[in-house]
């Protein structure tokens, strides 16, 4: 008999600093973000042993990367602001690009013989969870060891090719769900980034004019950071078919350069409507972020406001195929800043198919 997957803890991550990415969409498509733990009796506990879920799909997107980020290396239409393109001006207008991407995710779970301890693995995380007799679920996870991204050593360099550096951002999280016998979850996450050869702003030294900076201001632009996030969520069943999950988060970035240190919050709402084999998930999120010190390049304190939304349709056992799911969705994320250099947006349409075994 196929075991229940209800034991997977709900994970609500605060994404105030993360660049919107089509690769993240498949992680949502392969799991139910509104399914909390349900342990009314022993039959609700999963059977011991392994289970797997494979998800494959494809996405189409239109992205407008910030001038700081440049283009992704895998943009199919060719880069318009990437590492191989010379940036003419720091107040240039960002250009939109089309993006196509195959999508793949594998999730594995192992339930111990006590039926209350679970190990989980995906391309996103390696984690462990344990359910106590009270119904409280504690979980911990370590972020992917294979993820990396390229950043510009000096993102403010103009009229010359910008060099890139590969960086990693190790992370971990701690979560609690079902606290005090209530449908409430709390999660803390930590991320750190070390930019070993950070030359941000060196091309502007002592140049004067609109964007010139002094040597004493270079330290304000250092990008290595440690971030702390905490998110609180609860599930509110409206009826047998509709559930709402409000989410409230707080995020703090402690950067080596004070112009890149920031604090902000996130408020979001997820809704799921399900009937028979069909479900519709809708999520919206708003995240303002305020920086600590004035940016020496642009002579103003940075203020970002991010808003995102997504709608996803899911079907169990499409065309009668057992242990399979079909997902179709659209998402949009927009980050607006009072410094145009940091503006970005992304819209994505995707389809995915999941296999459970």
């Amino acid at each position: 008999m196929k075991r229940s997957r209800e034991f997977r803890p709900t994970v609500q991550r605060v994404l105030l600093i993360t660049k919107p990415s089509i690769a993240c969409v498949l992680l949502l498509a392969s799991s139910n973000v509104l399914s909390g733990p349900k342990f009314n009796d022993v039959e609700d506990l999963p059977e011991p042993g392994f289970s797997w879920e494979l998800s494959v799909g494809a996405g189409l997107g239109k992205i407008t990367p910030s001038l700081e980020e440049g283009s992704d290396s895998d943009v199919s239409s060719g880069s318009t602001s990437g590492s191989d393109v010379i940036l003419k001006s720091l107040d240039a207008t960002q250009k939109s690009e089309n993006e196509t991407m195959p999508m793949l995710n594998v999730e594995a779970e192992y339930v111990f013989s006590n039926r209350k301890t679970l190990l989980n693995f995906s391309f996103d995380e390696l984690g462990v969870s344990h359910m106590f007799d009270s119904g409280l679920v504690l979980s911990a996870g370590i972020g992917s060891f294979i993820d990396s991204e390229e950043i510009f050593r000096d993102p403010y360099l103009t009229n010359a090719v910008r060099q890139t550096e590969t960086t990693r951002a190790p992370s971990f999280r701690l979560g609690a769900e079902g606290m005090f016998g209530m449908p409430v979850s709390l999660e803390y996450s930590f991320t750190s980034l070390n930019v070993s050869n950070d030359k941000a702003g060196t091309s502007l030294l002592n140049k004067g004019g609109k964007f010139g900076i002094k040597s004493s201001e270079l330290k304000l632009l250092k990008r290595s950071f440690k971030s702390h996030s905490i998110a609180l969520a609860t599930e509110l069943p409206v009826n047998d078919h509709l559930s709402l999950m409000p989410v409230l988060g707080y995020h703090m970035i402690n950067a080596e350069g004070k112009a890149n240190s920031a604090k902000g919050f996130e408020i979001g709402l997820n809704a799921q409507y399900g009937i028979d084999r069909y479900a519709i998930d809708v999520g919206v999120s708003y995240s303002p972020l305020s920086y600590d010190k004035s940016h020496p390049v642009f002579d103003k304190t940075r203020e970002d406001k991010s808003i995102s939304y997504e709608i996803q349709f899911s079907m169990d056992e499409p065309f009668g195929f057992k242990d399979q799911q079909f997902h179709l969705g659209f998402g949009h994320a927009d980050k607006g800043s009072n410094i145009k250099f940091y503006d970005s947006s992304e819209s994505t349409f995707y389809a995915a198919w999941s296999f459970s075994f």
Side-chain angles (χ1 to χ4, degrees), residues 77-95:
S77 63
S79 175
T80 60
S81 57
S83 59
D84 59 342
V85 173
I86 294 175
L87 183 63
K88 298 297 185 182
S89 171
L90 295 182
D91 56 5
T93 300
Q94 293 93 329
K95 297 180 180 180

Side-chain angles (χ1 to χ4, degrees), residues 192-232:
S192 96
L193 176 72
N194 180 41
V195 183
S196 58
N197 194 15
D198 195 350
K199 297 184 179 297
T202 54
S203 62
L204 305 176
L205 272 176
N206 303 316
K207 283 195 171 182
K210 183 177 180 180
F211 297 113
I213 64 172
K214 302 175 183 178
S215 58
S216 60
E217 296 175 316
L218 272 181
K219 61 182 179 181
L220 294 172
L221 299 176
K222 296 295 183 181
R223 290 170 290 173
S224 296
F225 71 81
K226 292 179 173 57
S227 72
H228 307 268
S229 299
I230 188 167
L232 179 68

